[in-house]
């Protein structure tokens, strides 16, 4: 390394030069009459268009290149270099080769081109270092690239949804700048209430947007469409995306099965009609079962489109009403849109040859049938209970009647003493009166005065007093009241045992 030259004249010249480096632009005009003009403070272009950055210089300066830098300090990037042999393909000079006009064009602006650009005059570093020194710079031009949002995408649920089911739809767009964006939703022509759109950074200096709306589907939505409308400062007309709700709607059919006629004579045919009503989409298959065994059907009609966009289908099957088919269950089974099958049944009823139209054909669900079975079982149990009770009462009565010794009387029939009946078959019996009501003190008093009797009569007394006739008076207390005359006049051949009883 060579020793530094100790020339005081040269050192004196260096001092203002170092000052210039520290305070670029200040005093340059005064000392060197050099001027750099970067007149634009802000430039805004649409993405894809050309960015024009103006810069002119005047006056004299030391040799050194003019460059365009994007950004300052750390992170600066040289966009254009006067001395560079390989300029960036998108950057061109407005006046190629000019020594004063350093205006550049940047083609096909991208959002990534956004930033502040500086036009800088460098000077050679005087051999001390190889790095050029900044001599003067412009005030900087802030470039913004306005980017249009991409065409919106509208997405719905993965699977079809049924009416009354709320489903969410999503509208997204991206790559736009500036950040401010508006989203509107419509169902056909009606504005909808949607959540606030979510705006996120989608890349370098661009934004993405996502907006969600909840829709409760209706039967009538087959022909409806959703519209997502995006408004942005870069757009002259809002962007719209449409979505046919029929893409996600499933309306399950309602079923009806009819037997024609409802009551048929034997060996005639019955036509069963299955009406598959108001469904969407048209994808449906109908099959028939007779007592859960499939029937072959040759006449399968095509779904018919209704005015609302829903479909309807009619399927018919003819069944020969042979005697053994009486009470057969004919079922129409429908598989719609790959869902679990739904079914509805009707019965085949054959009228009795004599009495036509006593029973009536009717339809029922499986649900209905369960109800009928339950009601039937309950009724049977009740009937059995009633029968059992009646039987018990009856056996009790018979027992009372057939007993040779005692018969119970209701208290109101004849509360007084003993009744006695003559029996043509010469049966001997006792007729006992019992007080069956609940005991009260008053009644106890009455009862002590009223006596109850067991009267035993016999007609057979050939051997005189040796014949024993007795009544089994279990549970009965005999009173010690004096004998009373029998309530009825005695017959010549009768013998009596008059027994008076009181209750406990
Ligand atoms: C640059 O900025 C300085 C002060 O900030 C101002 O005095 C000067 O006029 C500006 N030059 C241009 C070309 O706008
Ligand atoms: C920028 O430079 C171009 C080309 O030299 C010129 O036509 C244009 O008028 C300049 N614009 C401004 C704002 O100085
Ligand atoms: C530009 O960045 C480099 C390092 O990447 C730095 O050395 C240089 O001083 C910077 N220039 C300016 C003008 O900020
Ligand atoms: C932003 O949206 C674009 C499509 O418009 C997509 O390619 C990109 O991945 C999104 N960026 C983020 C961060 O979601
Ligand atoms: C119904 O048809 C069967 C056989 O086809 C026959 O045996 C039967 O007699 C017929 N019954 C009546 C009531 O016609
Ligand atoms: C199917 O039924 C329709 C009436 O529902 C009838 O007009 C048509 O002839 C039948 N087709 C066949 C092949 O039986
Ligand atoms: C068919 O069944 C119903 C109900 O069980 C009955 O009323 C009717 O008499 C039966 N018909 C014939 C032909 O057996």
């Amino acid at each position: 390394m060579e020793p530094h030259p100790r020339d005081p004249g040269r050192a004196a010249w260096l001092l203002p030069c170092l000052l210039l480096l520290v305070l670029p632009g200040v005093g340059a005009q005064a000392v060197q009459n050099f001027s750099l003009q970067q007149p634009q403070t802000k430039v805004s272009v649409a993405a894809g268009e050309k960015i024009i950055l103006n810069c002119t210089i005047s006056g004299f300066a030391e040799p050194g290149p003019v460059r365009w830098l994007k950004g300052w300090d750390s992170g600066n990037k040289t966009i254009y270099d006067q001395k560079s042999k390989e300029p960036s393909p998108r950057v061109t000079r407005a006046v190629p080769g000019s020594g004063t006009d350093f205006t550049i064009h940047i083609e096909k602006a991208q959002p990534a081109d956004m930033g502040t650009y500086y036009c800088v005059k460098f000077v050679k570093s005087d051999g001390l270092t190889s790095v050029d020194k900044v001599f003067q710079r412009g005030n900087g031009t802030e470039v913004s690239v306005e980017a249009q949002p991409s065409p919106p995408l509208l997405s719905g649920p993965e699977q079809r949804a049924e009416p009354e089911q709320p489903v969410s739809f999503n509208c997204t767009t991206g790559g736009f700048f500036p950040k401010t964006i508006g989203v509107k939703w419509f169902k056909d022509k009606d504005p909808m209430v949607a959540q606030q759109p979510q705006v996120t950074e989608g890349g370098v200096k661009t934004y993405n947007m996502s907006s969600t709306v909840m829709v409760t589907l209706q039967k009538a939505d087959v022909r409806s469409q959703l519209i997502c409308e995006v408004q942005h400062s870069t757009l002259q007309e809002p962007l719209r995306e449409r979505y046919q709700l029929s893409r996600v709607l499933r309306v399950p059919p309602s079923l009806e099965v009819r037997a024609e006629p409802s009551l048929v004579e034997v060996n005639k045919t019955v036509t069963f009609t299955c009406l598959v009503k108001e469904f969407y989409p048209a994808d449906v298959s109908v099959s028939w079962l007779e007592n859960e065994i499939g029937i072959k059907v040759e006449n399968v009609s095509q779904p018919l489109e209704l005015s609302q966009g829903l479909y309807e289908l009619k399927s018919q099957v003819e069944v020969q009403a042979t005697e053994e088919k009486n009470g057969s269950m004919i079922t129409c089974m429908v598989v719609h849109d790959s869902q679990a099958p739904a079914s509805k049944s009707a019965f085949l009823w054959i009228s009795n040859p004599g009495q036509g139209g006593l029973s009536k054909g009717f339809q029922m669900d499986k649900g209905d049938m369960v109800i009928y079975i339950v009601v039937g079982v309950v009724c049977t149990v009740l009937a059995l209970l009633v029968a059992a009770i009646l039987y018990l009462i009856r056996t009790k009565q018979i027992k009372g009647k057939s007993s040779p010794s005692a018969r119970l009387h209701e208290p109101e029939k004849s509360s007084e003493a003993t009744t006695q009946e003559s029996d043509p078959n010469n049966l001997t019996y006792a007729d006992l009166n019992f007080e069956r009501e609940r005991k009260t003190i008053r009644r106890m008093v009455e009862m002590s005065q009223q006596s109850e009797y067991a009267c035993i009569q016999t007609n057979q007394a050939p051997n005189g007093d040796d014949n024993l006739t007795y009544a089994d008076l279990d549970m009965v207390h005999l009173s010690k009241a004096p004998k009373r005359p029998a309530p009825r006049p005695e017959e010549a051949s009768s013998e009596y045992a008059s027994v008076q009883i009181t209750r406990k």
Side-chain angles (χ1 to χ4, degrees):
M1 204 179 183
E2 269 180 65
H4 276 249
R6 309 251 171 219
D7 182 359
R10 192 174 167 91
W13 180 83
L14 260 175
L15 189 65
C17 197
L18 284 169
L19 272 173
L20 278 175
L21 285 177
V22 176
L23 303 165
V26 178
Q29 268 170 308
V31 178
Q32 304 270 325
N33 202 27
F34 179 83
S35 168
L36 187 151
Q37 301 296 326
Q38 190 181 346
Q40 302 152 297
T41 53
K42 275 190 175 178
V43 165
S44 180
V45 295
E49 289 180 2
K50 189 197 309 181
I51 307 168
I52 300 171
L53 296 173
N54 286 38
C55 178
T56 52
I57 58 168
S58 57
F60 173 77
E62 296 243 330
V66 171
R67 290 180 187 141
W68 277 94
L69 299 186
K70 185 184 174 196
W72 200 250
D73 295 328
S74 61
N76 69 77
K77 200 179 154 200
T78 304
I79 298 300
Y80 170 77
D81 189 343
Q82 192 185 357
K83 288 278 153 21
S84 174
K85 295 277 186 312
E86 296 169 48
S88 152
R90 284 167 58 218
V91 178
T92 53
R93 289 276 299 274
V95 187
S98 167
T100 53
D101 191 339
F102 287 92
T103 298
I104 57 166
H105 294 172
I106 303 172
E107 307 288 335
K108 293 191 185 109
Q110 298 161 3
D113 292 334
M114 275 186 271
T116 305
Y117 290 74
Y118 295 90
C119 181
V120 190
K121 167 68 179 168
F122 286 85
V123 291
K124 289 281 180 201
S125 63
D126 197 30
L128 290 176
T129 63
S130 59
V131 181
D132 294 330
K133 298 288 180 195
V134 172
F135 178 65
Q136 204 178 106
R137 66 155 179 170
N139 281 5
T141 302
E142 195 185 319
V143 171
S144 67
V145 178
E146 297 203 329
Q148 290 187 352
S150 59
L153 291 175
L154 221 169
S155 60
E158 301 271 305
Q159 285 166 346
R160 288 184 186 273
E162 294 182 3
E164 307 309 322
Q165 214 175 319
V167 285
S168 71
F169 290 85
N170 200 37
C171 182
T172 57
T173 179
F176 58 89
F177 188 92
K179 194 178 178 181
T180 308
I181 197 161
V183 185
K184 283 183 185 167
W185 287 87
F186 298 90
K187 182 173 166 186
D188 297 324
K189 290 199 166 91
D190 307 324
M192 301 172 79
V193 180
Q195 295 163 21
Q196 197 67 13
Q198 299 285 309
V199 179
T200 53
E201 278 190 25
V204 185
K205 305 280 182 185
T206 64
Y207 294 95
N208 282 8
M209 183 283 298
S210 169
S211 174
T212 302
V213 77
M214 294 300 292
V215 180
T216 302
L217 296 173
Q218 308 291 330
K219 242 187 189 184
D221 281 340
V222 177
R223 300 258 168 93
S224 300
Q225 65 176 357
L226 275 192
I227 300 165
C228 168
E229 193 180 277
V230 173
Q231 288 153 315
H232 191 255
S233 59
T234 55
L235 298 168
Q236 292 189 328
E237 286 218 327
L239 295 171
R240 288 191 189 85
E241 179 66 1
R242 290 156 208 277
Y243 194 102
Q244 294 299 325
L245 287 180
S246 59
R247 281 169 62 185
V248 291
L249 180 64
R250 179 194 308 119
V251 182
S254 59
L255 302 183
E256 193 185 314
V257 176
R258 281 201 295 254
E260 206 85 43
S262 57
L263 196 57
V264 75
E265 285 169 38
V266 75
N267 285 359
K268 294 267 170 63
T269 58
V270 190
T271 304
F272 286 88
T273 305
C274 185
L275 268 179
V276 188
K277 292 185 286 191
E278 294 196 324
F279 58 90
Y280 191 89
D283 168 26
V284 76
S285 75
V286 179
S287 52
W288 287 92
L289 304 173
E290 183 182 325
N291 294 330
E292 319 220 326
I293 296 158
I295 317 174
K296 205 169 178 295
V297 183
E298 53 286 336
N299 197 348
V300 180
S301 71
Q302 288 301 304
L304 190 78
E305 194 171 357
L306 304 173
S307 60
Q308 274 189 323
L310 297 169
Y311 289 92
E312 190 177 88
L313 182 139
K314 198 169 161 185
S315 177
Q316 289 187 322
V317 70
E318 285 189 346
V319 179
Q320 180 91 26
T322 56
E323 212 151 349
E324 68 272 14
K325 285 191 182 172
N326 193 22
S328 284
M329 187 169 74
I330 309 294
T331 303
C332 168
M333 199 168 77
V334 172
V335 176
H336 175 239
D337 192 34
S338 310
Q339 298 300 294
S343 64
K344 198 98 178 187
S345 301
F347 289 89
L348 177 79
W349 293 121
I350 298 171
S351 61
N352 273 334
Q355 35 159 151
L358 191 87
S359 59
K360 246 190 106 192
F362 62 97
Q363 308 179 11
M364 59 167 84
D365 263 347
K366 274 179 184 166
D368 287 346
M369 245 167 76
V370 169
I371 291 166
Y372 285 127
I373 288 166
V374 167
V375 168
V377 166
V378 168
C379 284
T380 311
V381 167
L382 278 176
L384 284 172
L385 261 173
V386 168
I389 288 163
L390 283 174
Y391 175 77
L392 274 173
I393 289 168
R394 187 137 183 90
T395 47
K396 228 174 186 174
Q397 277 180 354
I398 287 165
K399 218 178 180 180
K401 268 180 188 164
S402 63
S403 163
S405 59
R407 171 166 155 185
L408 301 179
H409 277 256
E410 293 295 323
E412 60 268 19
K413 262 190 183 169
S414 74
S415 57
E416 206 197 323
T418 313
T419 28
Q420 156 194 357
E421 289 170 31
S422 64
D423 196 331
N425 296 327
N426 286 344
L427 283 173
T428 302
Y429 59 93
D431 201 352
L432 298 181
N433 271 341
F434 285 98
E435 178 59 67
R436 296 174 83 191
E437 279 171 36
R438 197 192 277 172
K439 292 163 201 166
T440 59
I441 294 163
R442 205 172 65 90
R443 210 162 262 278
M444 283 294 283
V445 175
E446 278 175 6
M447 270 193 330
S448 64
Q449 290 162 353
Q450 274 180 6
S451 304
E452 291 181 38
Y453 289 92
C455 180
I456 302 162
Q457 185 181 15
T458 177
N459 286 338
Q460 298 163 319
N463 300 330
D465 292 324
D466 291 332
N467 247 12
L468 277 179
T469 303
Y470 62 91
D472 188 0
L473 295 172
D474 239 6
M475 312 287 287
V476 174
H477 278 256
L478 299 182
S479 78
K480 289 176 179 171
K483 266 191 180 176
R484 282 200 199 176
R488 271 197 184 173
E490 288 179 28
E491 284 172 44
S493 60
S494 299
E495 282 186 9
Y496 287 94
S498 186
V499 183
Q500 193 177 10
I501 56 168
T502 51
R503 310 294 307 267
K504 263 191 219 169

